[in-house]
Amino acid sequence: MHSTYDPANWYRDGRGPRYSQLYRHIAAAIASGRLEPDSQLPPERDLAEIAEVSRVTVRKAVAQLVADGLVEQRRGAGSFVRTPGPKLEQSLSTLTSFTEYMQQRGKSSTSQVLQRGLFAPSPDEQIALGLASSDRVARIERLRSADGIPMAIERSSLPEDILPRPDQVVTSLYTVLRATGGAPTRAVQRITAVNLGPAESQLLKLAEGAAALRIDRTGYLPTGRPIEFTRGVYRSDIYDFIAELRLEG
Ligand code: 16G
């Protein structure tokens, strides 16, 4: 799989320092399964040669992968892709909202509301949010774009007492939550690969059946109460976005 490291496959002018591009590329290859759990990365010297970078660059990229828990160094044996756990947790410092994330990257985000209101909770929502069937959930479904490009369809569900007025969410859900009692400070995410159905592909302006990522996020208050269950479908060609969200923790 040495072509994985060929510079033509990971380096682009103007997209940041080499070590960080290499790091993101390897992280994405691990996340997508192209680099399988337990497979070995080439030794530092070989990797530097194939990737056409200095050994210092390789070392920095690998150190970041190790810090993220994606790669482990086995003494005397080399660097290996770690077997991922089923869940990903993000800590408060990195629990960014879509709006903030795009802002940080100098992109302007917009949302088109597809559905919004109070509903009887589905069984999934009851489980994720610890609700009774007699409770109600606030639901907001949005098509989210960055610089005018549709990036994701997100459907967020929250207990009614946390978001009694879903119509108040105009741009950022987390901004509304912070103003009224608190946004999640911890989240658990599950990421899976999916193919877009007809409705989703139309909204995301992609071909039907195109590969995408589904991310389910359950967000918790510091008390441990789950208050957000968001199921999102994300364009996989904005993979950097997802990878960085995953890895910054
Ligand atoms: C992110 C979260 C989503 C959250 C949203 C809030 C992921 C995978 N998902 O998209 O769970 O509801 O941000 O963004 O990171 P907002 O405050 O801009 O509405």
Side-chain angles (χ1 to χ4, degrees), residues 9-45:
N9 291 327
W10 62 266
Y11 181 73
R12 262 181 253 156
D13 256 354
R15 295 202 59 190
R18 281 185 161 72
Y19 82 88
S20 104
Q21 291 199 41
L22 182 60
Y23 150 71
R24 287 208 303 262
H25 177 71
I26 299 175
I30 293 172
S32 71
R34 262 183 298 134
L35 283 179
E36 287 174 6
D38 232 33
S39 62
Q40 189 175 4
L41 300 188
E44 189 179 289
R45 199 181 40 214

PDB file of all heavy atoms in Angstrom, residues 9-45:
ATOM      1  N   ASN A   9      -0.662  11.711  -3.691  1.00  0.00           N
ATOM      2  CA  ASN A   9      -1.911  11.315  -3.037  1.00  0.00           C
ATOM      3  C   ASN A   9      -2.225  12.065  -1.756  1.00  0.00           C
ATOM      4  O   ASN A   9      -3.290  11.876  -1.176  1.00  0.00           O
ATOM      5  CB  ASN A   9      -1.888   9.813  -2.742  1.00  0.00           C
ATOM      6  CG  ASN A   9      -1.962   9.011  -4.016  1.00  0.00           C
ATOM      7  OD1 ASN A   9      -2.593   9.440  -4.977  1.00  0.00           O
ATOM      8  ND2 ASN A   9      -1.287   7.868  -4.041  1.00  0.00           N
ATOM      9  N   TRP A  10      -1.277  12.850  -1.275  1.00  0.00           N
ATOM     10  CA  TRP A  10      -1.611  13.526  -0.016  1.00  0.00           C
ATOM     11  C   TRP A  10      -1.183  14.988   0.047  1.00  0.00           C
ATOM     12  O   TRP A  10      -1.671  15.729   0.886  1.00  0.00           O
ATOM     13  CB  TRP A  10      -1.048  12.762   1.180  1.00  0.00           C
ATOM     14  CG  TRP A  10       0.462  12.653   1.176  1.00  0.00           C
ATOM     15  CD1 TRP A  10       1.192  11.616   0.683  1.00  0.00           C
ATOM     16  CD2 TRP A  10       1.402  13.616   1.662  1.00  0.00           C
ATOM     17  NE1 TRP A  10       2.525  11.869   0.819  1.00  0.00           N
ATOM     18  CE2 TRP A  10       2.684  13.087   1.434  1.00  0.00           C
ATOM     19  CE3 TRP A  10       1.293  14.858   2.285  1.00  0.00           C
ATOM     20  CZ2 TRP A  10       3.842  13.756   1.781  1.00  0.00           C
ATOM     21  CZ3 TRP A  10       2.446  15.540   2.641  1.00  0.00           C
ATOM     22  CH2 TRP A  10       3.705  14.988   2.386  1.00  0.00           C
ATOM     23  N   TYR A  11      -0.291  15.406  -0.830  1.00  0.00           N
ATOM     24  CA  TYR A  11       0.201  16.783  -0.684  1.00  0.00           C
ATOM     25  C   TYR A  11      -0.427  17.726  -1.687  1.00  0.00           C
ATOM     26  O   TYR A  11      -0.500  17.426  -2.871  1.00  0.00           O
ATOM     27  CB  TYR A  11       1.719  16.842  -0.816  1.00  0.00           C
ATOM     28  CG  TYR A  11       2.212  18.267  -0.627  1.00  0.00           C
ATOM     29  CD1 TYR A  11       2.205  18.848   0.641  1.00  0.00           C
ATOM     30  CD2 TYR A  11       2.601  19.047  -1.718  1.00  0.00           C
ATOM     31  CE1 TYR A  11       2.584  20.169   0.825  1.00  0.00           C
ATOM     32  CE2 TYR A  11       2.985  20.367  -1.533  1.00  0.00           C
ATOM     33  CZ  TYR A  11       2.978  20.917  -0.269  1.00  0.00           C
ATOM     34  OH  TYR A  11       3.342  22.223  -0.085  1.00  0.00           O
ATOM     35  N   ARG A  12      -0.915  18.825  -1.183  1.00  0.00           N
ATOM     36  CA  ARG A  12      -1.382  19.881  -2.079  1.00  0.00           C
ATOM     37  C   ARG A  12      -0.879  21.234  -1.587  1.00  0.00           C
ATOM     38  O   ARG A  12      -0.942  21.517  -0.377  1.00  0.00           O
ATOM     39  CB  ARG A  12      -2.918  19.905  -2.140  1.00  0.00           C
ATOM     40  CG  ARG A  12      -3.406  19.151  -3.388  1.00  0.00           C
ATOM     41  CD  ARG A  12      -4.900  19.177  -3.487  1.00  0.00           C
ATOM     42  NE  ARG A  12      -5.439  17.863  -3.170  1.00  0.00           N
ATOM     43  CZ  ARG A  12      -6.656  17.644  -2.731  1.00  0.00           C
ATOM     44  NH1 ARG A  12      -7.475  18.647  -2.513  1.00  0.00           N
ATOM     45  NH2 ARG A  12      -7.084  16.427  -2.493  1.00  0.00           N
ATOM     46  N   ASP A  13      -0.416  22.014  -2.513  1.00  0.00           N
ATOM     47  CA  ASP A  13       0.065  23.363  -2.197  1.00  0.00           C
ATOM     48  C   ASP A  13      -1.004  24.157  -1.473  1.00  0.00           C
ATOM     49  O   ASP A  13      -2.169  24.085  -1.838  1.00  0.00           O
ATOM     50  CB  ASP A  13       0.370  24.105  -3.519  1.00  0.00           C
ATOM     51  CG  ASP A  13       1.863  24.159  -3.765  1.00  0.00           C
ATOM     52  OD1 ASP A  13       2.621  23.728  -2.869  1.00  0.00           O
ATOM     53  OD2 ASP A  13       2.264  24.624  -4.857  1.00  0.00           O
ATOM     54  N   GLY A  14      -0.576  24.880  -0.470  1.00  0.00           N
ATOM     55  CA  GLY A  14      -1.500  25.820   0.160  1.00  0.00           C
ATOM     56  C   GLY A  14      -2.468  25.177   1.138  1.00  0.00           C
ATOM     57  O   GLY A  14      -3.381  25.826   1.615  1.00  0.00           O
ATOM     58  N   ARG A  15      -2.265  23.881   1.424  1.00  0.00           N
ATOM     59  CA  ARG A  15      -3.192  23.247   2.370  1.00  0.00           C
ATOM     60  C   ARG A  15      -2.531  22.940   3.704  1.00  0.00           C
ATOM     61  O   ARG A  15      -2.914  22.019   4.412  1.00  0.00           O
ATOM     62  CB  ARG A  15      -3.796  21.988   1.758  1.00  0.00           C
ATOM     63  CG  ARG A  15      -4.660  22.316   0.562  1.00  0.00           C
ATOM     64  CD  ARG A  15      -5.654  21.241   0.279  1.00  0.00           C
ATOM     65  NE  ARG A  15      -6.540  20.996   1.411  1.00  0.00           N
ATOM     66  CZ  ARG A  15      -7.372  19.974   1.474  1.00  0.00           C
ATOM     67  NH1 ARG A  15      -7.429  19.116   0.513  1.00  0.00           N
ATOM     68  NH2 ARG A  15      -8.153  19.826   2.516  1.00  0.00           N
ATOM     69  N   GLY A  16      -1.526  23.731   4.042  1.00  0.00           N
ATOM     70  CA  GLY A  16      -0.905  23.573   5.353  1.00  0.00           C
ATOM     71  C   GLY A  16       0.409  22.834   5.271  1.00  0.00           C
ATOM     72  O   GLY A  16       0.784  22.305   4.223  1.00  0.00           O
ATOM     73  N   PRO A  17       1.128  22.805   6.417  1.00  0.00           N
ATOM     74  CA  PRO A  17       2.451  22.186   6.434  1.00  0.00           C
ATOM     75  C   PRO A  17       2.395  20.701   6.060  1.00  0.00           C
ATOM     76  O   PRO A  17       1.386  20.038   6.253  1.00  0.00           O
ATOM     77  CB  PRO A  17       2.911  22.349   7.888  1.00  0.00           C
ATOM     78  CG  PRO A  17       1.772  22.887   8.646  1.00  0.00           C
ATOM     79  CD  PRO A  17       0.727  23.359   7.698  1.00  0.00           C
ATOM     80  N   ARG A  18       3.525  20.226   5.533  1.00  0.00           N
ATOM     81  CA  ARG A  18       3.573  18.838   5.052  1.00  0.00           C
ATOM     82  C   ARG A  18       3.221  17.839   6.142  1.00  0.00           C
ATOM     83  O   ARG A  18       2.485  16.895   5.917  1.00  0.00           O
ATOM     84  CB  ARG A  18       4.965  18.529   4.508  1.00  0.00           C
ATOM     85  CG  ARG A  18       5.165  19.080   3.113  1.00  0.00           C
ATOM     86  CD  ARG A  18       6.516  18.656   2.551  1.00  0.00           C
ATOM     87  NE  ARG A  18       6.529  18.790   1.115  1.00  0.00           N
ATOM     88  CZ  ARG A  18       6.558  19.948   0.464  1.00  0.00           C
ATOM     89  NH1 ARG A  18       6.579  21.087   1.149  1.00  0.00           N
ATOM     90  NH2 ARG A  18       6.547  19.988  -0.848  1.00  0.00           N
ATOM     91  N   TYR A  19       3.794  18.034   7.349  1.00  0.00           N
ATOM     92  CA  TYR A  19       3.549  17.021   8.372  1.00  0.00           C
ATOM     93  C   TYR A  19       2.059  16.924   8.679  1.00  0.00           C
ATOM     94  O   TYR A  19       1.522  15.838   8.887  1.00  0.00           O
ATOM     95  CB  TYR A  19       4.369  17.308   9.650  1.00  0.00           C
ATOM     96  CG  TYR A  19       3.747  18.334  10.567  1.00  0.00           C
ATOM     97  CD1 TYR A  19       2.836  17.931  11.546  1.00  0.00           C
ATOM     98  CD2 TYR A  19       4.048  19.686  10.456  1.00  0.00           C
ATOM     99  CE1 TYR A  19       2.238  18.872  12.371  1.00  0.00           C
ATOM    100  CE2 TYR A  19       3.458  20.613  11.266  1.00  0.00           C
ATOM    101  CZ  TYR A  19       2.553  20.201  12.226  1.00  0.00           C
ATOM    102  OH  TYR A  19       1.953  21.125  13.034  1.00  0.00           O
ATOM    103  N   SER A  20       1.354  18.079   8.645  1.00  0.00           N
ATOM    104  CA  SER A  20      -0.060  18.017   9.007  1.00  0.00           C
ATOM    105  C   SER A  20      -0.905  17.437   7.873  1.00  0.00           C
ATOM    106  O   SER A  20      -1.870  16.718   8.101  1.00  0.00           O
ATOM    107  CB  SER A  20      -0.542  19.378   9.526  1.00  0.00           C
ATOM    108  OG  SER A  20      -1.303  20.041   8.582  1.00  0.00           O
ATOM    109  N   GLN A  21      -0.497  17.691   6.634  1.00  0.00           N
ATOM    110  CA  GLN A  21      -1.204  17.058   5.511  1.00  0.00           C
ATOM    111  C   GLN A  21      -0.988  15.540   5.514  1.00  0.00           C
ATOM    112  O   GLN A  21      -1.901  14.768   5.265  1.00  0.00           O
ATOM    113  CB  GLN A  21      -0.737  17.643   4.175  1.00  0.00           C
ATOM    114  CG  GLN A  21      -1.182  19.088   3.964  1.00  0.00           C
ATOM    115  CD  GLN A  21      -1.108  19.472   2.482  1.00  0.00           C
ATOM    116  OE1 GLN A  21      -1.463  18.713   1.604  1.00  0.00           O
ATOM    117  NE2 GLN A  21      -0.628  20.683   2.214  1.00  0.00           N
ATOM    118  N   LEU A  22       0.253  15.153   5.806  1.00  0.00           N
ATOM    119  CA  LEU A  22       0.555  13.716   5.838  1.00  0.00           C
ATOM    120  C   LEU A  22      -0.226  13.052   6.981  1.00  0.00           C
ATOM    121  O   LEU A  22      -0.829  11.991   6.827  1.00  0.00           O
ATOM    122  CB  LEU A  22       2.066  13.513   6.021  1.00  0.00           C
ATOM    123  CG  LEU A  22       2.561  12.067   6.029  1.00  0.00           C
ATOM    124  CD1 LEU A  22       2.225  11.354   4.724  1.00  0.00           C
ATOM    125  CD2 LEU A  22       4.075  12.015   6.273  1.00  0.00           C
ATOM    126  N   TYR A  23      -0.231  13.724   8.097  1.00  0.00           N
ATOM    127  CA  TYR A  23      -0.965  13.218   9.266  1.00  0.00           C
ATOM    128  C   TYR A  23      -2.458  13.050   8.950  1.00  0.00           C
ATOM    129  O   TYR A  23      -3.052  12.005   9.195  1.00  0.00           O
ATOM    130  CB  TYR A  23      -0.741  14.190  10.429  1.00  0.00           C
ATOM    131  CG  TYR A  23      -1.875  14.278  11.419  1.00  0.00           C
ATOM    132  CD1 TYR A  23      -2.152  13.226  12.296  1.00  0.00           C
ATOM    133  CD2 TYR A  23      -2.665  15.421  11.488  1.00  0.00           C
ATOM    134  CE1 TYR A  23      -3.199  13.318  13.199  1.00  0.00           C
ATOM    135  CE2 TYR A  23      -3.703  15.518  12.384  1.00  0.00           C
ATOM    136  CZ  TYR A  23      -3.974  14.464  13.232  1.00  0.00           C
ATOM    137  OH  TYR A  23      -5.005  14.558  14.117  1.00  0.00           O
ATOM    138  N   ARG A  24      -3.037  14.074   8.343  1.00  0.00           N
ATOM    139  CA  ARG A  24      -4.476  14.001   8.037  1.00  0.00           C
ATOM    140  C   ARG A  24      -4.777  12.898   7.031  1.00  0.00           C
ATOM    141  O   ARG A  24      -5.777  12.206   7.124  1.00  0.00           O
ATOM    142  CB  ARG A  24      -4.978  15.341   7.484  1.00  0.00           C
ATOM    143  CG  ARG A  24      -5.072  16.422   8.555  1.00  0.00           C
ATOM    144  CD  ARG A  24      -6.147  17.441   8.196  1.00  0.00           C
ATOM    145  NE  ARG A  24      -5.924  18.047   6.901  1.00  0.00           N
ATOM    146  CZ  ARG A  24      -5.353  19.237   6.714  1.00  0.00           C
ATOM    147  NH1 ARG A  24      -4.967  19.945   7.741  1.00  0.00           N
ATOM    148  NH2 ARG A  24      -5.179  19.709   5.494  1.00  0.00           N
ATOM    149  N   HIS A  25      -3.853  12.763   6.086  1.00  0.00           N
ATOM    150  CA  HIS A  25      -4.046  11.744   5.057  1.00  0.00           C
ATOM    151  C   HIS A  25      -4.007  10.336   5.670  1.00  0.00           C
ATOM    152  O   HIS A  25      -4.863   9.498   5.380  1.00  0.00           O
ATOM    153  CB  HIS A  25      -2.947  11.902   4.006  1.00  0.00           C
ATOM    154  CG  HIS A  25      -2.984  10.865   2.939  1.00  0.00           C
ATOM    155  ND1 HIS A  25      -3.974  10.841   1.980  1.00  0.00           N
ATOM    156  CD2 HIS A  25      -2.183   9.798   2.687  1.00  0.00           C
ATOM    157  CE1 HIS A  25      -3.763   9.800   1.177  1.00  0.00           C
ATOM    158  NE2 HIS A  25      -2.687   9.166   1.589  1.00  0.00           N
ATOM    159  N   ILE A  26      -3.026  10.110   6.537  1.00  0.00           N
ATOM    160  CA  ILE A  26      -2.924   8.776   7.150  1.00  0.00           C
ATOM    161  C   ILE A  26      -4.125   8.546   8.078  1.00  0.00           C
ATOM    162  O   ILE A  26      -4.721   7.463   8.097  1.00  0.00           O
ATOM    163  CB  ILE A  26      -1.588   8.596   7.909  1.00  0.00           C
ATOM    164  CG1 ILE A  26      -0.413   8.733   6.928  1.00  0.00           C
ATOM    165  CG2 ILE A  26      -1.535   7.243   8.609  1.00  0.00           C
ATOM    166  CD1 ILE A  26       0.964   8.684   7.568  1.00  0.00           C
ATOM    167  N   ALA A  27      -4.505   9.591   8.815  1.00  0.00           N
ATOM    168  CA  ALA A  27      -5.667   9.459   9.714  1.00  0.00           C
ATOM    169  C   ALA A  27      -6.917   9.097   8.915  1.00  0.00           C
ATOM    170  O   ALA A  27      -7.707   8.239   9.319  1.00  0.00           O
ATOM    171  CB  ALA A  27      -5.875  10.757  10.483  1.00  0.00           C
ATOM    172  N   ALA A  28      -7.072   9.744   7.769  1.00  0.00           N
ATOM    173  CA  ALA A  28      -8.250   9.464   6.941  1.00  0.00           C
ATOM    174  C   ALA A  28      -8.190   8.037   6.391  1.00  0.00           C
ATOM    175  O   ALA A  28      -9.212   7.348   6.319  1.00  0.00           O
ATOM    176  CB  ALA A  28      -8.340  10.474   5.801  1.00  0.00           C
ATOM    177  N   ALA A  29      -6.978   7.599   6.025  1.00  0.00           N
ATOM    178  CA  ALA A  29      -6.828   6.237   5.500  1.00  0.00           C
ATOM    179  C   ALA A  29      -7.161   5.209   6.586  1.00  0.00           C
ATOM    180  O   ALA A  29      -7.749   4.157   6.309  1.00  0.00           O
ATOM    181  CB  ALA A  29      -5.411   6.022   4.976  1.00  0.00           C
ATOM    182  N   ILE A  30      -6.816   5.536   7.811  1.00  0.00           N
ATOM    183  CA  ILE A  30      -7.140   4.622   8.920  1.00  0.00           C
ATOM    184  C   ILE A  30      -8.650   4.625   9.156  1.00  0.00           C
ATOM    185  O   ILE A  30      -9.290   3.580   9.267  1.00  0.00           O
ATOM    186  CB  ILE A  30      -6.378   5.030  10.210  1.00  0.00           C
ATOM    187  CG1 ILE A  30      -4.872   4.812  10.012  1.00  0.00           C
ATOM    188  CG2 ILE A  30      -6.886   4.236  11.410  1.00  0.00           C
ATOM    189  CD1 ILE A  30      -4.005   5.352  11.135  1.00  0.00           C
ATOM    190  N   ALA A  31      -9.213   5.824   9.183  1.00  0.00           N
ATOM    191  CA  ALA A  31     -10.650   5.921   9.466  1.00  0.00           C
ATOM    192  C   ALA A  31     -11.481   5.232   8.384  1.00  0.00           C
ATOM    193  O   ALA A  31     -12.526   4.661   8.662  1.00  0.00           O
ATOM    194  CB  ALA A  31     -11.050   7.379   9.599  1.00  0.00           C
ATOM    195  N   SER A  32     -11.007   5.285   7.151  1.00  0.00           N
ATOM    196  CA  SER A  32     -11.795   4.687   6.069  1.00  0.00           C
ATOM    197  C   SER A  32     -11.527   3.193   5.925  1.00  0.00           C
ATOM    198  O   SER A  32     -12.181   2.523   5.142  1.00  0.00           O
ATOM    199  CB  SER A  32     -11.459   5.383   4.744  1.00  0.00           C
ATOM    200  OG  SER A  32     -10.152   4.999   4.344  1.00  0.00           O
ATOM    201  N   GLY A  33     -10.534   2.693   6.650  1.00  0.00           N
ATOM    202  CA  GLY A  33     -10.236   1.263   6.565  1.00  0.00           C
ATOM    203  C   GLY A  33      -9.226   0.912   5.483  1.00  0.00           C
ATOM    204  O   GLY A  33      -8.855  -0.246   5.316  1.00  0.00           O
ATOM    205  N   ARG A  34      -8.774   1.940   4.722  1.00  0.00           N
ATOM    206  CA  ARG A  34      -7.768   1.649   3.693  1.00  0.00           C
ATOM    207  C   ARG A  34      -6.486   1.148   4.359  1.00  0.00           C
ATOM    208  O   ARG A  34      -5.775   0.308   3.821  1.00  0.00           O
ATOM    209  CB  ARG A  34      -7.472   2.898   2.857  1.00  0.00           C
ATOM    210  CG  ARG A  34      -8.231   2.917   1.538  1.00  0.00           C
ATOM    211  CD  ARG A  34      -7.858   4.119   0.720  1.00  0.00           C
ATOM    212  NE  ARG A  34      -8.206   5.355   1.395  1.00  0.00           N
ATOM    213  CZ  ARG A  34      -7.401   6.411   1.505  1.00  0.00           C
ATOM    214  NH1 ARG A  34      -6.193   6.401   0.980  1.00  0.00           N
ATOM    215  NH2 ARG A  34      -7.816   7.495   2.142  1.00  0.00           N
ATOM    216  N   LEU A  35      -6.182   1.714   5.509  1.00  0.00           N
ATOM    217  CA  LEU A  35      -5.090   1.147   6.309  1.00  0.00           C
ATOM    218  C   LEU A  35      -5.757   0.366   7.425  1.00  0.00           C
ATOM    219  O   LEU A  35      -6.438   0.937   8.275  1.00  0.00           O
ATOM    220  CB  LEU A  35      -4.221   2.268   6.898  1.00  0.00           C
ATOM    221  CG  LEU A  35      -3.239   2.953   5.962  1.00  0.00           C
ATOM    222  CD1 LEU A  35      -2.490   4.049   6.700  1.00  0.00           C
ATOM    223  CD2 LEU A  35      -2.241   1.948   5.381  1.00  0.00           C
ATOM    224  N   GLU A  36      -5.566  -0.924   7.401  1.00  0.00           N
ATOM    225  CA  GLU A  36      -6.321  -1.770   8.316  1.00  0.00           C
ATOM    226  C   GLU A  36      -5.709  -1.812   9.715  1.00  0.00           C
ATOM    227  O   GLU A  36      -4.505  -1.655   9.874  1.00  0.00           O
ATOM    228  CB  GLU A  36      -6.388  -3.183   7.746  1.00  0.00           C
ATOM    229  CG  GLU A  36      -7.324  -3.245   6.567  1.00  0.00           C
ATOM    230  CD  GLU A  36      -7.315  -4.587   5.872  1.00  0.00           C
ATOM    231  OE1 GLU A  36      -6.660  -5.527   6.377  1.00  0.00           O
ATOM    232  OE2 GLU A  36      -7.963  -4.676   4.826  1.00  0.00           O
ATOM    233  N   PRO A  37      -6.563  -2.085  10.714  1.00  0.00           N
ATOM    234  CA  PRO A  37      -6.063  -2.246  12.066  1.00  0.00           C
ATOM    235  C   PRO A  37      -4.947  -3.278  12.078  1.00  0.00           C
ATOM    236  O   PRO A  37      -5.035  -4.286  11.368  1.00  0.00           O
ATOM    237  CB  PRO A  37      -7.276  -2.760  12.853  1.00  0.00           C
ATOM    238  CG  PRO A  37      -8.455  -2.313  12.074  1.00  0.00           C
ATOM    239  CD  PRO A  37      -8.024  -2.214  10.641  1.00  0.00           C
ATOM    240  N   ASP A  38      -3.931  -2.974  12.853  1.00  0.00           N
ATOM    241  CA  ASP A  38      -2.822  -3.899  13.015  1.00  0.00           C
ATOM    242  C   ASP A  38      -1.824  -3.895  11.861  1.00  0.00           C
ATOM    243  O   ASP A  38      -0.839  -4.607  11.912  1.00  0.00           O
ATOM    244  CB  ASP A  38      -3.347  -5.334  13.200  1.00  0.00           C
ATOM    245  CG  ASP A  38      -2.725  -5.938  14.447  1.00  0.00           C
ATOM    246  OD1 ASP A  38      -2.480  -5.150  15.382  1.00  0.00           O
ATOM    247  OD2 ASP A  38      -2.468  -7.149  14.458  1.00  0.00           O
ATOM    248  N   SER A  39      -2.131  -3.125  10.790  1.00  0.00           N
ATOM    249  CA  SER A  39      -1.145  -3.088   9.722  1.00  0.00           C
ATOM    250  C   SER A  39      -0.009  -2.160  10.151  1.00  0.00           C
ATOM    251  O   SER A  39      -0.194  -1.253  10.964  1.00  0.00           O
ATOM    252  CB  SER A  39      -1.769  -2.645   8.402  1.00  0.00           C
ATOM    253  OG  SER A  39      -2.284  -1.344   8.521  1.00  0.00           O
ATOM    254  N   GLN A  40       1.138  -2.401   9.572  1.00  0.00           N
ATOM    255  CA  GLN A  40       2.324  -1.671  10.001  1.00  0.00           C
ATOM    256  C   GLN A  40       2.603  -0.500   9.072  1.00  0.00           C
ATOM    257  O   GLN A  40       2.480  -0.633   7.850  1.00  0.00           O
ATOM    258  CB  GLN A  40       3.525  -2.621   9.998  1.00  0.00           C
ATOM    259  CG  GLN A  40       4.741  -2.012  10.644  1.00  0.00           C
ATOM    260  CD  GLN A  40       5.895  -2.997  10.759  1.00  0.00           C
ATOM    261  OE1 GLN A  40       5.805  -4.136  10.286  1.00  0.00           O
ATOM    262  NE2 GLN A  40       6.967  -2.553  11.385  1.00  0.00           N
ATOM    263  N   LEU A  41       2.959   0.630   9.647  1.00  0.00           N
ATOM    264  CA  LEU A  41       3.400   1.748   8.813  1.00  0.00           C
ATOM    265  C   LEU A  41       4.842   1.463   8.412  1.00  0.00           C
ATOM    266  O   LEU A  41       5.582   0.834   9.160  1.00  0.00           O
ATOM    267  CB  LEU A  41       3.360   3.066   9.589  1.00  0.00           C
ATOM    268  CG  LEU A  41       2.024   3.542  10.165  1.00  0.00           C
ATOM    269  CD1 LEU A  41       2.177   4.959  10.712  1.00  0.00           C
ATOM    270  CD2 LEU A  41       0.926   3.517   9.116  1.00  0.00           C
ATOM    271  N   PRO A  42       5.253   1.927   7.248  1.00  0.00           N
ATOM    272  CA  PRO A  42       6.652   1.702   6.865  1.00  0.00           C
ATOM    273  C   PRO A  42       7.575   2.355   7.900  1.00  0.00           C
ATOM    274  O   PRO A  42       7.199   3.352   8.510  1.00  0.00           O
ATOM    275  CB  PRO A  42       6.770   2.414   5.518  1.00  0.00           C
ATOM    276  CG  PRO A  42       5.387   2.653   5.040  1.00  0.00           C
ATOM    277  CD  PRO A  42       4.516   2.697   6.242  1.00  0.00           C
ATOM    278  N   PRO A  43       8.751   1.796   8.082  1.00  0.00           N
ATOM    279  CA  PRO A  43       9.708   2.424   8.999  1.00  0.00           C
ATOM    280  C   PRO A  43       9.964   3.872   8.601  1.00  0.00           C
ATOM    281  O   PRO A  43       9.854   4.222   7.417  1.00  0.00           O
ATOM    282  CB  PRO A  43      10.977   1.595   8.842  1.00  0.00           C
ATOM    283  CG  PRO A  43      10.556   0.325   8.183  1.00  0.00           C
ATOM    284  CD  PRO A  43       9.301   0.604   7.438  1.00  0.00           C
ATOM    285  N   GLU A  44      10.310   4.681   9.593  1.00  0.00           N
ATOM    286  CA  GLU A  44      10.470   6.127   9.387  1.00  0.00           C
ATOM    287  C   GLU A  44      11.298   6.486   8.152  1.00  0.00           C
ATOM    288  O   GLU A  44      10.895   7.320   7.335  1.00  0.00           O
ATOM    289  CB  GLU A  44      11.133   6.700  10.641  1.00  0.00           C
ATOM    290  CG  GLU A  44      11.188   8.198  10.682  1.00  0.00           C
ATOM    291  CD  GLU A  44      11.853   8.641  11.980  1.00  0.00           C
ATOM    292  OE1 GLU A  44      11.229   8.487  13.046  1.00  0.00           O
ATOM    293  OE2 GLU A  44      13.006   9.131  11.915  1.00  0.00           O
ATOM    294  N   ARG A  45      12.418   5.781   7.994  1.00  0.00           N
ATOM    295  CA  ARG A  45      13.300   6.142   6.881  1.00  0.00           C
ATOM    296  C   ARG A  45      12.639   5.845   5.532  1.00  0.00           C
ATOM    297  O   ARG A  45      12.666   6.642   4.608  1.00  0.00           O
ATOM    298  CB  ARG A  45      14.627   5.383   6.998  1.00  0.00           C
ATOM    299  CG  ARG A  45      15.735   6.027   6.195  1.00  0.00           C
ATOM    300  CD  ARG A  45      17.022   5.253   6.291  1.00  0.00           C
ATOM    301  NE  ARG A  45      16.765   3.815   6.247  1.00  0.00           N
ATOM    302  CZ  ARG A  45      17.479   2.912   6.919  1.00  0.00           C
ATOM    303  NH1 ARG A  45      18.472   3.274   7.679  1.00  0.00           N
ATOM    304  NH2 ARG A  45      17.196   1.624   6.814  1.00  0.00           N
TER     305      ARG A  45
END
